[in-house]
Amino acid sequence: MRSPRLSQAIGRFQAMGHYQAVGHYQAVGHWQAMGRSEAEGLPGRVGIQDRATIAGHCAPGVRPLARRVAGLIPTLTLCLLAACSDQGDDPARPDVEAPAITLLSPNGGELLLVGSVQRIRWSAEDPDTPAARLRVAIELLLDGGATEPIASGWENTGEYEWVVPNQVASSARVRVTVSDGVRSASDQSAATFVVLQPPPPGENLLAIGTVSGIAEAMVDVTLSLANDNPISSLEGTVAFDPDIVRFVEMSLLPRAGARDLSVDGGPSGTLRFEITASVGTPAISPGAGNLATLRFELLPPGNRSTALSLGQTVLRDDLSRTVEVTTQNGSITVGDSVTPPSLLALIPARTVIGDTVTVQGTEFGETAGAVRFTAATGTVDAVVLSWSEAEARVLVPQGAADGAVRVAVGQTASNPIDFSVAPRLISFATDLSAPGKPLQRGGCQSCHFCFNGTGGSGDFCVNTVADVLRGGDHGPGVVPRQSAQSNLLRKLLPSPPFGDQMPPGSTLRTAEIQDIRDWIDQGARDN
């Protein structure tokens, strides 16, 4: 039978209801316990394990939680260890891996015509969820930040046939998001594409794009062609304000084929281009796509824009006949220069997935940006708990890997700082102070075991977490989250700040010292 105090404490957890490990309780699932005897219902299963620790499996959709249970005997901890989802025939199977998705097309540079049918293609997988159980949401990202849903809850078939809506855009992207029911991941077009109205039958459309950027940056603007005729060559002019942007260069893209490009002018605010074909070069087949990019430097100050106006445009078909063409102009907007954020410290710089990290620096801005961790494929954004001009608190995201962390604000990103993922949460009771563990095997307890909080060498005791936190003659034993500032760790390393390196003879293994470092950086928990 469960003791009355255990039943009472578990009852409290049931009454409080729902939990999610984000530093405070939030509703996502419900737990009941089964101790040594069974309990009604089976949202979660809990059993008593060594050192009076309660560990369990969770119901579908419940995320990890490890919390001390108030009111129980001091060494009794309730640990909700596994994040689970409804997978296969085992609903208690832990969902410990996040899914991953890569958008294959459209991936940037395309010219899409309103009303045309396009295939959005992606590749998605999850190490511990069958591919058929993944669900995909698709969105269209338009000029100015507007978002239009395309599909939601779509099966992970790898493609979706999309009728391009009547949403003309000069810089659009597609974003795909995959979910396994617990975690999700997103990817979007690597570059922008253009959405245009189709030209009337027998006519052709030449369009120049619209972009924006900050002063002193470089931007690329696309020159796109939707043609009903086979096109051999084309020429034209682009006019712009030379006080706002400076023309740098023009480059042909694969759709132009093996053609020659000549460009004149630019400093005066008008450039002339010719795209010509040698004898025998195939014509540009009817269709739609980008032909070239024009690179401009954005001149300060910001908060200005200039039109990009196409003029004197001539298209010739495969028989060198001039064919009808309409044009669509674009623009460039120059924003104010932005000082990029500067990253100064991560506290801690190593901990487990799901733990809290404090990011310190400057120029973060008042509006929350993103904190990006290195992942196995690219980067993954952390969940932001709080944000200020000089500090952000985030959760280490699922999928994070050893590598760099950066703060991104708008179109700017900070310098990187190294971060590493600890393999597990270190327990003071199980991993550090138990028989054969560092504090016993290294002889620490022989000199620093105390009675009623006193009696240890240097007045420093290691009986309990509270003793270690309190410290001794030289101040606190540990500074939670800051192992490099903690006397307990500093005394275990060469050249400590006071006295000799401990333990005498330096008998602790490197892995044991790392466990102590990880325990401090994980918050010096009483676990």
Side-chain angles (χ1 to χ4, degrees), residues 428 433 439 443-478 487-488 519:
F428 180 85
S433 65
L439 297 184
C444 303
Q445 292 179 344
S446 62
C447 293
H448 298 282
F449 191 86
C450 306
F451 297 93
N452 297 322
T454 61
S457 177
D459 199 26
F460 178 48
C461 308
V462 296
N463 299 38
T464 66
V465 171
D467 291 332
V468 175
L469 290 170
R470 183 172 56 250
D473 293 344
H474 297 279
V478 301
N487 285 336
L488 174 62
W519 174 71

Side-chain angles (χ1 to χ4, degrees), residues 103 106 112 114 118 120 137-151 160 162-177 187-189 191-195:
L103 179 65
L112 308 184
V114 170
Q118 304 290 330
I120 299 173
I138 310 172
E139 300 166 285
L140 175 63
L141 312 182
L142 297 166
D143 302 340
T147 302
E148 295 286 341
I150 295 175
Y160 178 88
W162 172 47
V163 178
V164 180
N166 190 12
Q167 295 277 7
V168 172
S170 58
S171 55
R173 298 176 191 256
V174 162
R175 178 168 61 204
V176 288
T177 301
D187 191 26
Q188 65 182 32
S189 307
T192 60
F193 54 84
V194 177
V195 180

Side-chain angles (χ1 to χ4, degrees), residues 308-327:
L308 299 177
S309 302
L310 288 166
Q312 304 178 30
T313 306
V314 178
L315 269 64
R316 294 183 176 86
D317 65 12
D318 51 348
L319 299 177
S320 298
R321 296 174 300 191
T322 300
V323 295
E324 293 291 331
V325 59
T326 57
T327 59

Side-chain angles (χ1 to χ4, degrees), residues 184-227:
S184 62
S186 298
D187 191 26
Q188 65 182 32
S189 307
T192 60
F193 54 84
V194 177
V195 180
L196 294 177
Q197 292 286 353
E203 295 188 11
N204 308 281
L205 172 66
L206 188 67
I208 192 166
T210 293
V211 297
S212 61
I214 60 174
E216 301 181 338
M218 298 283 186
V219 295
D220 289 332
V221 185
T222 56
L223 182 68
S224 306
L225 174 66
N227 55 304

Side-chain angles (χ1 to χ4, degrees), residues 30-42:
H30 190 100
W31 273 85
Q32 291 180 332
M34 294 196 304
R36 292 188 183 276
S37 61
E38 293 188 351
E40 294 77 24
L42 199 59

Side-chain angles (χ1 to χ4, degrees), residues 488-510:
L488 174 62
L489 180 67
R490 295 164 80 188
K491 285 289 287 182
L492 301 178
L493 302 176
S495 303
F498 55 88
D500 297 326
Q501 182 180 1
M502 292 288 140
S506 301
T507 57
L508 290 182
R509 305 182 185 99
T510 300

